[in-house]
Amino acid sequence: QSRYLLRDGDRIMKTIKTQQGFSLIELMIAITLAMVGMLAATELYSSTRQTYKLQNMQSRLAEDGRFALSMLQRVISQAGYRPNPKTPMGSYLDPAANESVTVRFIADGANMIACDGSVPAANAAQTLVIAKSSSKLQCGAVDWIAPASAGTGNGTELIDFKIRYGIDTGPAGTLKEFGCGTDTSATQKGRDCVADSYVNTATGANLTQIVAVKVCLILRTESSDAAVSKAAAVSDCSGTAIANSQTDNKLYRTFRSTITLRNQ
């Protein structure tokens, strides 16, 4: 009987030894692995969040730029819509400066728009002034591009805005159906309606020779991110380096377009 008791005791001791649990080394290994996993998950979350923020900044910049170009193209191309097509384009475009442009036309009541996108009444004379105002691009009192009022939001800032005017100086002897300018004969015009050079401002004889407009916008994200780095400073519309653009951790984008004036 004592032998049986000894055998049962051995079995109980073996069972206890088998059920002792983790050793200290095993516990430390498990904690280390858990910490590595948590660090990896935190890093992944941080990276994903940063990527999402950069994508939002890029998308906002692209959308605002496309919107501004679309409005510029539509409004400027309306210049000179008028009853008398012999009036010089300079009377309807006012190309006296290269950081603003004044567009004049007589609305048709259907297809033409004002600064806010509304359709003016038919035969109403319109004068729309598009200009850079601080970090905004404005048409009249309407902001086409503007940062948040506090200056620390997720909006877009206008850094540079330039207008250049395409001057058509020839050649003479263009067929009337394809030409511009004064008649040189019963079948020919004095110019070919193609810009031969671009100037910052137009005066004198050039006022009658404007056939196109080039626009340039430099936009910048209002918010910044440490992940945004640049090898060199960003250039403005004239090719001059923008101060602090290399180190401000903001995204920049240049938008350009050439607008052909239709109402010659």
Side-chain angles (χ1 to χ4, degrees), residues 52-72:
Y52 178 74
K53 181 181 178 181
L54 288 174
Q55 288 176 340
N56 277 348
M57 290 166 64
Q58 291 170 340
S59 296
R60 180 64 180 268
L61 206 59
E63 288 173 6
D64 285 351
R66 284 195 293 265
F67 169 77
L69 280 187
S70 175
M71 293 300 287
L72 283 164

Side-chain angles (χ1 to χ4, degrees), residues 74-89 91-93 103-113 120-127 261-264:
R74 186 163 181 188
V75 170
I76 292 176
S77 66
Q78 296 175 162
Y81 186 86
R82 58 200 186 279
N84 182 4
K86 293 183 179 180
T87 305
M89 182 56 72
S91 300
Y92 294 93
L93 204 59
V103 178
R104 299 184 181 90
F105 61 93
I106 297 176
D108 63 358
N111 303 300
M112 314 190 84
I113 62 170
N123 300 318
Q126 300 292 307
T127 299
L261 302 175
R262 300 173 297 182
N263 304 306
Q264 298 296 319

Side-chain angles (χ1 to χ4, degrees), residues 209-252:
Q209 300 169 329
I210 300 172
V211 294
V213 171
K214 278 187 177 181
V215 297
C216 171
L217 302 100
I218 308 290
L219 302 185
R220 180 177 71 187
T221 55
E222 186 180 4
S223 58
S224 61
D225 193 283
V228 178
S229 62
K230 311 177 192 74
V234 179
S235 297
D236 64 14
C237 293
S238 302
T240 303
I242 299 172
N244 304 318
S245 60
Q246 188 174 351
T247 57
D248 61 7
N249 300 126
K250 296 185 177 185
L251 294 175
Y252 289 73

Side-chain angles (χ1 to χ4, degrees), residues 14 32 47 77 119 135 165 172 182 196 210 215 232 244 253:
K14 288 179 180 177
T32 301
S47 176
S77 66
V119 178
S135 56
Y165 301 92
T182 57
D196 300 299
I210 300 172
V215 297
N244 304 318
R253 187 162 174 179

